[in-house]
Structure formats: C-alpha cells, structure tokens
Amino acid sequence: SWIRSILPKTALIVEEEAWNAYPYCRTKFTCPFMERFLLDVETVYKSDKGHQDNVFQLTGAESRREIDVIDIVKDQLPSAEYSPSEDPRLYASKKTGRGP
C-alpha cells in the first residue's frame, strides 16, 4: 500500500515479548521506529468470571483504571466484520471432530 512507500521498514515492525507463568502473564509490545512506544499488558487468570475488583492489589493513583472485559464468544461484531468461518461458536475441528 502507499503507506509502505513513505515509512521506513522499522515503522511497520512490532516486537512482542511475553512471559507466561500461569496464572500470571505479561506481554510487552514495542516498535523500533518509535523508541518511546511501549504497550505493557499484564494478565491474571482467576476462577471468578472477572468479578474481582483489584486482582493486582493496586493502591492510590494506580488503582484508578478502566477495565475492559473481553468475551470472544458473546461480544457482538458489526455485520461488516463478521465472518462465519471465524466465529468460535460455529468452529468445528476437522482433525478431532469436536465442535458443533
């Protein structure tokens, strides 16, 4: 596309580093082109369906945050982005024969 012609190759690279120690995971995303860009994602898996208020035991200013609950099965997609072949509710494994 046209954007590739004006940006250096390093602008289109995102590097991912992940540390998985279930039930805690941390993933860092960086872009070599933008040295100050850093997306740091911490995930804790709990068996409570996401109802705990402060799983990281944050205090003060750290505790003011927005939580985005993601449900890949029940969240609705705009019809232009929906594809039945990518719907996890309809997926059936050809290899194992599992699924609807």
Side-chain angles (χ1 to χ4, degrees), residues 32-43:
F33 182 71
M34 297 182 287
E35 294 176 7
R36 301 178 94 192
F37 173 79
L38 170 66
L39 178 61
D40 194 355
V41 179
E42 293 183 75
T43 305

Side-chain angles (χ1 to χ4, degrees), residues 77-93:
L77 287 175
S79 59
E81 295 179 15
Y82 177 76
S83 171
S85 65
E86 298 173 353
D87 191 336
R89 296 173 298 171
L90 305 176
Y91 177 78
S93 172

Side-chain angles (χ1 to χ4, degrees), residues 5-94:
S5 64
I6 59 173
L7 291 175
K9 288 184 180 183
T10 57
L12 304 173
I13 295 173
V14 175
E15 296 175 349
E16 173 188 10
E17 295 178 78
W19 297 267
N20 297 312
Y22 185 84
Y24 174 79
C25 299
R26 182 174 183 187
T27 307
K28 290 171 66 174
F29 297 95
T30 56
C31 176
F33 182 71
M34 297 182 287
E35 294 176 7
R36 301 178 94 192
F37 173 79
L38 170 66
L39 178 61
D40 194 355
V41 179
E42 293 183 75
T43 305
V44 174
Y45 296 92
K46 299 284 185 178
S47 60
D48 69 346
K49 298 185 181 182
H51 298 293
Q52 286 189 33
D53 289 331
N54 193 359
V55 295
F56 293 109
Q57 276 69 52
L58 302 175
T59 60
E62 289 180 328
S63 66
R64 291 190 296 272
R65 69 211 184 281
E66 183 177 327
I67 298 172
D68 189 6
V69 178
I70 300 170
D71 187 334
I72 64 168
V73 174
K74 295 181 181 175
D75 284 353
Q76 296 297 312
L77 287 175
S79 59
E81 295 179 15
Y82 177 76
S83 171
S85 65
E86 298 173 353
D87 191 336
R89 296 173 298 171
L90 305 176
Y91 177 78
S93 172
K94 293 176 184 173

